[in-house]
Amino acid sequence: MIKLSTLVVAISLALTSQAQAEQTITASDKAIKLAKDTILIDTHIDVPYRIHENWVDVTKATTDGDFDYPRAVKGGLNAPFMSIYIPAHLEFEDKGKSYQLANQMIDSMEAIAQRAPDKFAIASSSTDIEEQFKQGKLSIAMGMENGSPIEGDMKNLQHFYDRGIRYITLAHSQSNHISDSSYDIRRKWKGLSPFGKELVTEMNNIGMLIDVSHISDDAFYQVMDLSKTPVIASHSSLRKYTPGFERNMNDDMLLALKENGGVIQINFGSSFVTAKAGSWGKQLKSTKESVKKDGTKLSKDFDAAYRVKNPYPFASLEQVLDHIDHVVELIGIDYVGIGSDYDGVGDSLPIGLKDVSSYPNLVQGLMDRDYSDKDIKKILSGNLLRVLKQAQEYAKKH
């Protein structure tokens, strides 16, 4: 057993080492200016569920989490898609609670805009985002993570569109009534359900983006066959760097995404970026299970003690940039953006990208890799805005 004092010292040293490493990443004035002078869209930030679980006023500086208004301003973030996340629990999927929870979280986003109208505004279109940027306001766009709140009724699709939802992640960590999940070994539908296939068409017609993050490979290719508009992967990274991790996208999927005209928004979570982080998590889980099998009760500081002996292999900014590079090299600059998963991946964020104040570090990294200002702007928002506008135009005709 590790003494508490020893544990505290070890954790302190580890955090100090990490902090020192992050201090070596310094964005230039040009990178900071480019981040702030450009519309910067991040398609996946989990503020709604964070404040649903433990309310805090993100219109002001906060001491926890990855997002608040001052840090967003510092980082140049002005158009986050707030994730209306519905856990993949049976109580939500089967007992009709998804619809209620989704509406409550949308209410919480509207409350932020109403509480600080000088800082925030709800955005439901590309035009809103562009106009609010000119006004110096932070746009709150919304996406729904897990289509469970549709509850098998197309009327609910219209309802959530009217409430400002502009993309739906069809499933989350378990298969639902719409689609199989990449995490769920039970492939109930072998892709999309019959209702899910109808939903894709209706989402096209209404101007709702289809998000292929989280769904199974079979479901992904069925969406590709059905969708008449570009889709997004709102917070996914590449299987090239995480072999066997179906939650990420492989090269064949990227090629299909290019043909569709869609965009992959790179997830910053370390386990999405590097295989070492994913393996670490599996080993921790296995160790816990072994301890339980021996009849030993897990101590409250078990995870912290484990980290002391087995430091978490945080991804680096450079490794995140490698994901962007590979997309660009394989399918081109027009098909990649940012979907950080801030407030959604706990303390697993890469060194140099720890919260929403960190985007200039990413911009600096892109500059150091000889990306032009024009191409950086495409990554920050241009590609996502193109897809959003195409979905809006298609809906006008249908």
Side-chain angles (χ1 to χ4, degrees):
M1 176 67 100
I2 298 175
K3 291 182 179 179
L4 184 59
S5 59
T6 304
L7 179 63
V8 170
V9 170
I11 292 174
S12 177
L13 288 171
L15 291 175
T16 300
S17 176
Q18 181 179 314
Q20 290 172 343
E22 294 196 31
Q23 288 174 1
T24 64
I25 302 172
T26 304
S28 64
D29 290 343
K30 180 180 178 181
I32 295 169
K33 187 176 188 300
L34 184 56
K36 292 187 175 184
D37 289 352
T38 305
I39 294 176
L40 201 163
I41 296 175
D42 187 323
T43 46
H44 200 88
I45 296 183
D46 277 293
V47 167
Y49 199 75
R50 168 189 165 197
I51 65 175
H52 174 76
E53 292 283 278
N54 296 287
W55 189 86
V56 65
D57 187 356
V58 295
T59 69
K60 304 173 182 178
T62 62
T63 57
D64 65 345
D66 308 324
F67 173 96
D68 57 41
Y69 181 76
R71 282 183 284 174
V73 171
K74 181 179 179 181
L77 175 66
N78 40 55
F81 272 75
M82 298 299 190
S83 172
I84 305 303
Y85 162 63
I86 310 299
H89 300 161
L90 291 178
E91 65 175 295
F92 294 114
E93 174 69 8
D94 295 343
K95 297 184 179 178
K97 295 184 179 181
S98 294
Y99 180 86
Q100 178 181 350
L101 179 58
N103 280 291
Q104 288 173 338
M105 286 197 283
I106 294 170
D107 287 347
S108 73
M109 294 299 98
E110 292 177 342
I112 287 173
Q114 292 166 4
R115 190 162 63 250
D118 57 322
K119 300 176 180 176
F120 294 90
I122 299 294
S124 58
S125 67
S126 58
T127 300
D128 286 347
I129 292 172
E130 290 165 342
E131 289 300 315
Q132 289 159 8
F133 175 72
K134 293 176 184 177
Q135 296 165 12
K137 294 183 179 181
L138 192 151
S139 295
I140 295 178
M142 289 181 283
M144 179 183 288
E145 186 177 21
N146 189 356
S148 183
I150 301 300
E151 295 186 350
D153 189 341
M154 291 297 178
K155 291 181 181 178
N156 289 337
L157 176 65
Q158 181 68 52
H159 168 79
F160 286 115
Y161 182 89
D162 292 342
R163 293 220 62 189
I165 297 295
R166 286 300 175 267
Y167 76 69
I168 296 177
T169 316
L170 300 183
H172 191 249
S173 58
Q174 295 179 21
S175 301
N176 60 14
H177 71 285
I178 297 169
S179 175
D180 288 335
S181 164
S182 62
Y183 287 117
D184 195 338
I185 61 173
R186 303 163 299 168
R187 299 302 161 103
K188 181 177 180 180
W189 306 111
K190 294 182 175 57
L192 299 175
S193 71
F195 177 79
K197 293 175 181 177
E198 294 179 15
L199 184 67
V200 167
T201 298
E202 290 305 312
M203 288 173 70
N204 283 170
N205 291 342
I206 204 173
M208 184 86 78
L209 293 176
I210 298 156
D211 179 16
V212 297
S213 290
H214 278 286
I215 64 176
S216 69
D217 287 5
D218 286 341
F220 168 85
Y221 285 110
Q222 288 170 21
V223 168
M224 293 296 101
D225 288 340
L226 290 168
S227 183
K228 304 299 183 185
T229 66
V231 308
I232 65 169
S234 71
H235 57 308
S236 293
S237 296
L238 306 184
R239 216 174 294 176
K240 171 182 171 65
Y241 302 103
T242 57
F245 186 31
E246 189 177 346
R247 173 65 178 79
N248 276 346
M249 294 177 65
N250 64 29
D251 284 2
D252 287 341
M253 296 168 83
L254 291 177
L255 292 169
L257 187 72
K258 177 179 182 177
E259 185 174 349
N260 164 267
V263 60
I264 178 172
Q265 305 286 105
I266 298 299
N267 190 316
F268 292 172
S270 289
S271 63
F272 291 82
V273 176
T274 171
K276 287 183 179 180
S279 297
W280 185 95
K282 291 177 182 177
Q283 186 59 46
L284 172 59
K285 182 179 179 181
S286 176
T287 303
K288 284 183 173 181
E289 290 174 350
S290 296
V291 171
K292 290 178 181 178
K293 284 181 180 178
D294 291 340
T296 304
K297 186 177 180 180
L298 293 177
S299 63
K300 291 183 178 180
D301 62 355
F302 183 90
D303 285 12
Y306 184 87
R307 277 183 179 250
V308 171
K309 291 184 177 180
N310 308 276
Y312 184 77
F314 288 102
S316 67
L317 169 61
E318 294 301 316
Q319 288 172 311
V320 174
L321 292 167
D322 288 344
H323 284 251
I324 294 174
D325 278 353
H326 184 69
V327 176
V328 173
E329 290 165 6
L330 183 68
I331 61 174
I333 189 64
D334 297 317
Y335 308 98
V336 64
I338 299 170
S340 65
D341 217 347
Y342 281 136
D343 276 330
V345 289
D347 62 353
S348 75
L349 290 158
I351 294 171
L353 292 172
K354 290 298 184 183
D355 62 28
V356 295
S357 69
S358 304
Y359 298 106
N361 292 342
L362 184 75
V363 173
Q364 184 65 55
L366 291 168
M367 290 168 54
D368 291 344
R369 295 193 180 199
D370 295 326
Y371 283 81
S372 67
D373 289 2
K374 179 181 178 182
D375 285 348
I376 292 172
K377 289 178 180 180
K378 286 186 176 184
I379 293 169
L380 296 183
S381 63
N383 295 334
L384 194 283
L385 285 173
R386 169 184 60 79
V387 168
L388 187 57
K389 289 174 181 178
Q390 285 178 269
Q392 292 166 179
E393 289 301 315
Y394 184 88
K396 288 179 182 178
K397 299 175 182 178
H398 297 82

